[in-house]
Amino acid sequence: MARIFSGIQPTGIAHLGNYLGAIQNWVKLQAENECIFCLVDLHAITVAQDPKALRAQTLQNAAILIACGIDPERQILFHQSAVHAHARLAWIFNCVARVGWLNRMTQFKDKAGKDREAVSTGLYVYPNLMAADIHAYHATLVPVGDDQRQHLELANDIAEKFNHDYGVDFFPRIEPLILAETARVMSLRDGLKKMSKSDASEQSRIQLTDDADTIALKIRRAKTDPEPLPDNIEALQPRPEAANLVGMYAAMTNQTSAAVLQQFAGSGFGPFKEKLAEVLIAHIAPITKAANDLLAEPVYLESILQAGARRAAAIANPIVDEAERIVGFLPRG
Ligand code: AQP
């Protein structure tokens, strides 16, 4: 049984991309692994957040994860800021990682854009905190999208340097678990941009709290092109928006994009979008309902996260205490 660490940022409401790329895999992984699921609010504030919205989104995403099938009794579900071991280890890793390593991180370049001087230093050291999230539990498997591969390599470089510099064999190697079905879901407004919680346009994503009418409207308005659907995958390649919608339908109905094209070849987007909306609504409506039921009892939901945090701290604290001893800190007493 491997120990798995997975996180999601409460920077907005979890969307279809998070679901297909991450959450549905987490639900499957629970059966055979010890899983630690974290709402990474420390990561979230690396870009500006409204405090009230951040609190609400942390609870909303917790409700969504449980509604999707994450079991907070058998596994650990908590909010990152409640377990101080993350920040303590991240500081040590800030002192282990090299500036040259962080300068190579493509996600920082993407997120900082042209205004690199104006972004927070937190955004720059984000990968060090991510390394701490994993190593604080001696987790060895991390299910992520392909976009996170570089951060996991960095987490291994940090662990190796720590072990080497202090002459220990303390932090294990991490293996990324990049699942074949980790589809990248793209924005409904731009087929070349990934679907994202922080995209300014809510029309760009299907949120896991959207009701049936909202889903239908967003899909109707999704950007497409004037051509009918082709009968082969190659012909979809220069049509990112069409490819994205076909990929969504395929993922929701458990088939390949090629099989979907066999079914809809020659069809215009009107009827295809109607079918896509139908399968999305059928899948998302029960999640929305279960999440709303949980959100009606925020105190209960908070108590689930707090209990999870206590269990997480019981694993992480001794590991981070030992890391602090290794670097030469006196015991906290
Ligand atoms: N569009 C996507 N398609 C497939 N997988 C995705 N993930 C995110 N977007 C897509 C996967 O979801 C997990 C949790 O993501 P995250 O919240 O930690 O951060 P993110 O990747 O930065 O997600 P967002 O929605 O784009 O958030 P913001 O806008 O705040 O940056 C990860 O495993 C990720 O791969």
Side-chain angles (χ1 to χ4, degrees), residues 8-21:
I8 183 163
Q9 298 192 76
T11 39
I13 306 294
H15 50 72
L16 188 67
N18 298 129
Y19 180 72
L20 293 175

Side-chain angles (χ1 to χ4, degrees), residues 164-203:
H164 174 269
D165 288 358
Y166 293 103
V168 292
D169 184 14
F170 187 61
F171 290 116
R173 265 196 82 73
I174 303 165
E175 292 302 330
L177 187 64
I178 297 178
L179 299 158
E181 63 266 44
T182 308
R184 201 164 234 240
V185 180
M186 310 309 277
S187 158
L188 297 177
R189 311 300 301 163
D190 176 352
L192 298 175
K193 256 172 74 183
K194 80 166 187 156
M195 187 176 280
S196 197
K197 287 184 228 91
S198 51
D199 192 302
S201 166
E202 255 197 46
Q203 297 300 318

